[in-house]
Amino acid sequence: MSHPFETLTPDLVLDAVESIGFLSDARVLALNSYENRVYQVGIEDAEPLIAKFYRPQRWTNEAILEEHQFTFELADREVPVVAPLIHNGASLHEHAGFRFTLFPRRGGRAPEPGNLDQLYRLGQLLGRLHAIGATRPFEHREALGVKNFGHDSLDTVLQSGFVPRSLLPAYESVARDLLKRVEDAYAATPHQNIRMHGDCHPGNMMCRDEVFHIVDLDDCRMGPAVQDLWMMLAGDRQECLGQLSELMDGYQEFHDFDPRELALIEPLRALRLMHYSAWLARRWDDPAFPRSFPWFGSERYWGDQILALREQLAALNEEPLKLF
């Protein structure tokens, strides 16, 4: 059976945008996105818009609207974020079986790895985001946890058939050992789940005119604050310590941070590693994935994954980063 996204042609994209009252100039540019489909659509006598078509059956309407509401809360508090457009009284629209949202076009560049001045400003931005995120919980979005990102990911990979038989015992063994250590770290580390970005890598913190703004809250969920912080760090341990200090100096101007959560950095990195492989396996029926990730399923990929999980297991034996 064909994947639903195969029917999402440029003409359908234009029809969807025009179905809610915009007049396109027939220009459509596909942007880099795998989980959803995102296009820049030219509009007659106006700036182009960004149209995001949600992956069918991933989020409920309530969960999508909860993401939008969180974004509107941030915008209302003057946190720089790219918020959905409200048109005809709605931010979520539907056409030909696809749910979609329109955004204003906002360009920019990603932060420079290790730039201490930028890290201070990114800390301020994330502190403002979390100060609002901590005011109340999500009701329709799951929390990041060891079960859904760890055990469920491992089950998906083991049942997928992608791991070569010769490497399957080694992968399963190191993954189960790693998850046991992650569970122990979670149980031993006090932390509070708040509304957070959820996928806060540098590419989702764009700088334009010397101002950073937040993009793509599609993965926002409940989780520990440190999940939105650790991906801002790059380099060896000493470099990360200096970067963490700058990040926290900015962050704590707007929101308190419990330094005990730093013990979750390596467990969260482990969960992200496992979740990524499971994500590829779950999306393999989407034709974009075999084209873009042809190495998935190769012995080299899974050999590298076994090595990465072993290195992550060793990282969990090291002393967590500390604030000074």
Side-chain angles (χ1 to χ4, degrees):
M1 294 180 63
S2 64
H3 192 273
F5 276 147
E6 288 191 287
T7 67
L8 189 58
T9 62
D11 284 344
L12 194 152
V13 171
L14 293 174
D15 288 345
V17 172
E18 293 188 340
S19 72
I20 60 173
F22 290 96
L23 180 62
S24 78
D25 62 10
R27 290 181 297 170
V28 179
L29 175 65
L31 302 180
N32 187 31
S33 178
Y34 294 107
E35 186 63 10
N36 303 296
R37 293 294 187 269
V38 182
Y39 303 89
Q40 178 177 294
V41 179
I43 303 297
E44 286 284 355
D45 301 320
E47 285 290 312
L49 295 176
I50 303 301
K52 172 181 174 180
F53 289 78
Y54 290 91
R55 178 172 291 274
Q57 300 178 344
R58 183 188 179 216
W59 292 118
T60 64
N61 285 355
E62 291 81 6
I64 293 173
L65 290 172
E66 199 164 45
E67 170 209 337
H68 293 183
Q69 181 56 42
F70 185 33
T71 311
F72 296 143
E73 284 182 59
L74 296 170
D76 288 345
R77 298 280 291 274
E78 298 184 343
V79 177
V81 61
V82 180
L85 295 175
I86 297 178
H87 188 69
N88 298 331
S91 60
L92 181 63
H93 313 280
E94 187 168 346
H95 180 76
F98 288 101
R99 295 167 299 170
F100 70 98
T101 294
L102 299 179
F103 296 84
R105 184 178 65 172
R106 293 286 186 271
R109 64 183 187 278
E112 301 170 17
N115 185 305
L116 298 183
D117 176 63
Q118 290 187 350
L119 283 166
Y120 178 81
R121 290 187 287 150
L122 289 169
Q124 291 177 313
L125 181 54
L126 289 171
R128 295 172 68 191
L129 186 155
H130 288 173
I132 297 167
T135 58
R136 61 187 179 87
F138 283 132
E139 296 181 4
H140 301 286
R141 290 185 159 251
E142 65 179 9
L144 188 163
V146 180
K147 182 183 184 302
N148 56 355
F149 269 60
H151 290 289
D152 291 351
S153 294
L154 178 58
D155 289 344
T156 294
V157 167
L158 296 180
Q159 296 166 17
S160 69
F162 284 106
V163 186
R165 292 182 63 183
S166 61
L167 298 177
L168 190 58
Y171 181 86
E172 182 175 3
S173 176
V174 69
R176 293 201 186 281
D177 288 346
L178 186 58
L179 284 176
K180 178 63 170 64
R181 291 298 309 279
V182 170
E183 285 180 329
D184 291 345
Y186 255 75
T189 305
H191 60 280
Q192 177 186 2
N193 282 350
I194 64 172
R195 291 181 297 171
M196 58 168 189
H197 187 288
D199 190 26
C200 198
H201 58 78
N204 281 334
M205 309 290 284
M206 305 299 289
C207 184
R208 181 177 183 177
D209 299 327
E210 299 307 313
V211 175
F212 281 103
H213 55 271
I214 302 164
V215 300
D216 192 12
L217 276 88
D218 190 65
D219 284 302
C220 64
R221 62 187 72 234
M222 301 295 293
V226 73
Q227 168 65 11
D228 279 351
L229 299 170
W230 69 265
M231 279 184 278
M232 296 291 109
L233 308 178
D236 62 27
R237 183 180 179 88
Q238 283 304 120
E239 290 173 313
C240 286
L241 284 171
Q243 294 166 22
L244 179 64
S245 177
E246 288 296 319
L247 190 68
M248 284 293 109
D249 281 350
Y251 184 93
Q252 295 192 108
E253 288 184 10
F254 295 93
H255 190 60
D256 290 334
F257 178 76
D258 185 345
R260 293 176 295 182
E261 283 194 15
L262 294 174
L264 291 179
I265 289 179
E266 296 307 331
L268 288 166
R269 194 192 311 273
L271 293 178
R272 187 173 178 86
L273 280 169
M274 298 185 67
H275 185 262
Y276 180 74
S277 292
W279 174 66
L280 291 176
R282 291 170 181 143
R283 298 293 182 254
W284 206 247
D285 64 331
D286 181 340
F289 280 72
R291 288 196 301 266
S292 301
F293 308 98
W295 35 259
F296 185 65
S298 68
E299 287 202 5
R300 179 172 180 176
Y301 173 78
W302 290 103
D304 288 345
Q305 287 302 298
I306 291 169
L307 178 59
L309 296 185
R310 285 174 176 162
E311 291 175 344
Q312 197 56 36
L313 193 56
L316 284 166
N317 291 325
E318 297 180 2
E319 190 73 14
L321 294 179
K322 294 185 181 298
L323 291 175
F324 296 100

